[in-house]
Amino acid sequence: MKLDTLSLKYVQIFFVVVAYWIISILTVFVNKTLLTSDKLDMDAPMFIAWFQCFVSAIICFTMSRLSKVFPNTVHFPGGNPFNSTTIKHVLPLTILYILMISTNNYCLKFVDVTFYYVGRSLTTVFNVILSYIILGQTTSISCLLCCFAVVCGFFLGVDQENLSGSFSLVGTIFGVLSSFSLAFYSIQIKKVLPEVSNQIWLLSYFNNLYASILFIPLLAFEAKELNNFSRMFELNFLFLMIIGGICGLSIGYVTVLQVQVTSPLTHNISGTAKSCFQTILASFWYNQWKSTMWWFSNAVVLGGSAAYTIVKNREMEKKYRPVVYSRC
């Protein structure tokens, strides 16, 4: 019995969402293992970020070359990463990208995976603030109330994490910096995409290539740790590093794919649900049992984030609905 078109669409959506969840969660757990595992004992978050950017750049370069040799089989947007105009427009974004992934790694190093989502939950709040400062965009009272709920959930989560004895001030600060840089990056990416013909893969290629180069002088800060690390060429370590690089590149692709087969609203709700599942999975995986109030703080953050997404989506629909009707 053949599936009809609608059934095939639902099957496609299911597998895309599952792929997004698996890759996103796997990325977090792989990086956490690299950063804190006693078996690896590696204290070099920037080196891990550099290596994963390097792997991503190599994959994109290979795809770019293959697309020219096998144009009917491999499709990858073409572009010269060393064009002076391209460098001028993309390089500032790459600096933000480096800040974003570096602070993210430092946050993940110092906080538990169970607290990771709450520790980086202020992205929406910073997005609202930066959109007003940079773009002059105002936000409705309803959205501000949702942001207020996220902030309350964040501070409640910090309080409960402190009571449980696993709170890390350094990790939380890096989480806030990661939230800020991610929000800033998300705003700036809209300005830079037209400079690369709105090709997300091409921008990812350039970003990872430039980051691979710019990270090199920063590795001097971790020279001591790298010199003392004895497992640099062990297969287990290299395997995890390569998997992390592949996941880091893949998450960008599956994120865009999920938006394409569903909608921005569904994508954000899926991301919120994924974070909830990730937190529960981490509590079992690392055998970390939390209090009722700790879980309530997570629920407040998740609820505030989901509510913001839904409210914002409805406001956008109301804003653009007259335009759509006028063209019919």
Side-chain angles (χ1 to χ4, degrees):
M1 180 180 178
K2 294 184 178 180
L3 294 173
D4 56 29
T5 304
L6 185 60
S7 298
L8 286 173
K9 179 176 175 61
Y10 284 132
V11 170
Q12 181 190 27
I13 290 172
F14 172 78
F15 280 108
V16 169
V17 171
V18 168
Y20 169 77
W21 279 41
I22 291 174
I23 293 172
S24 181
I25 293 174
L26 183 62
T27 302
V28 173
F29 277 79
V30 166
N31 283 340
K32 183 63 176 177
T33 302
L34 286 168
L35 289 163
T36 61
S37 173
D38 293 334
K39 294 181 180 179
L40 296 177
D41 192 27
M42 186 181 198
D43 186 19
M46 281 195 290
F47 173 76
I48 292 173
W50 168 79
F51 188 91
Q52 292 177 351
C53 286
F54 180 71
V55 169
S56 297
I58 290 295
I59 293 173
C60 288
F61 174 78
T62 304
M63 294 294 290
S64 177
R65 296 297 98 186
L66 288 175
S67 68
K68 293 182 179 181
V69 178
F70 307 104
N72 295 326
T73 307
V74 181
H75 302 284
F76 195 91
N80 179 14
F82 299 108
N83 179 281
S84 58
T85 304
T86 301
I87 294 174
K88 176 183 175 182
H89 287 108
V90 178
L91 198 59
L93 185 71
T94 302
I95 294 172
L96 269 178
Y97 180 66
I98 289 173
L99 178 63
M100 180 180 69
I101 59 178
S102 297
T103 52
N104 179 71
N105 273 9
Y106 273 103
C107 171
L108 192 56
K109 174 178 174 57
F110 290 105
V111 306
D112 295 329
V113 177
T114 48
F115 184 69
Y116 178 65
Y117 175 71
V118 173
R120 297 175 63 253
S121 61
L122 297 181
T123 303
T124 300
V125 179
F126 283 125
N127 195 281
V128 169
I129 295 171
L130 291 172
S131 294
Y132 177 74
I133 295 173
I134 298 172
L135 305 176
Q137 294 179 352
T138 57
T139 305
S140 68
I141 297 297
S142 298
C143 285
L144 289 176
L145 288 174
C146 295
C147 289
F148 179 71
V150 172
V151 173
C152 289
F154 170 79
F155 282 108
L156 180 59
V158 168
D159 177 66
Q160 292 301 305
E161 191 76 359
N162 187 37
L163 289 175
S164 69
S166 55
F167 174 70
S168 169
L169 178 60
V170 174
T172 303
I173 291 173
F174 275 117
V176 173
L177 289 173
S178 178
S179 300
F180 173 81
S181 55
L182 175 57
F184 201 178
Y185 180 82
S186 300
I187 291 173
Q188 293 300 316
I189 201 172
K190 295 178 183 178
K191 296 182 178 180
V192 178
L193 265 175
E195 304 299 331
V196 291
S197 305
N198 291 308
Q199 297 286 348
I200 294 175
W201 270 115
L202 195 59
L203 182 60
S204 179
Y205 174 29
F206 293 164
N207 250 343
N208 283 289
L209 178 61
Y210 298 160
S212 300
I213 298 170
L214 293 178
F215 256 125
I216 292 175
L218 297 176
L219 297 181
F221 293 104
E222 298 178 342
K224 182 179 179 181
E225 289 78 8
L226 293 174
N227 287 333
N228 295 331
F229 186 64
S230 59
R231 296 182 172 87
M232 184 67 72
F233 299 104
E234 288 186 4
L235 289 178
N236 288 343
F237 172 73
L238 290 175
F239 176 75
L240 280 176
M241 291 286 278
I242 292 171
I243 290 295
I246 294 172
C247 286
L249 181 64
S250 300
I251 191 64
Y253 174 74
V254 294
T255 296
V256 174
L257 188 61
Q258 183 172 239
V259 173
Q260 288 178 338
V261 301
T262 58
S263 68
L265 173 63
T266 304
H267 164 68
N268 287 326
I269 292 176
S270 172
T272 303
K274 184 273 303 180
S275 298
C276 180
F277 178 76
Q278 176 179 290
T279 302
I280 296 171
L281 179 63
S283 70
F284 281 99
W285 186 265
Y286 296 105
N287 196 28
Q288 296 173 346
W289 307 107
K290 303 293 184 178
S291 67
T292 303
M293 283 300 294
W294 188 95
W295 286 107
F296 178 71
S297 69
N298 275 259
V300 172
V301 171
L302 289 163
S305 300
Y308 176 87
T309 300
I310 294 170
V311 170
K312 193 69 176 177
N313 184 73
R314 288 176 179 173
E315 289 177 355
M316 294 297 289
E317 285 182 347
K318 288 181 181 179
K319 180 179 179 180
Y320 292 107
R321 189 176 295 153
V323 177
V324 174
Y325 287 159
S326 65
R327 292 178 180 176
C328 293

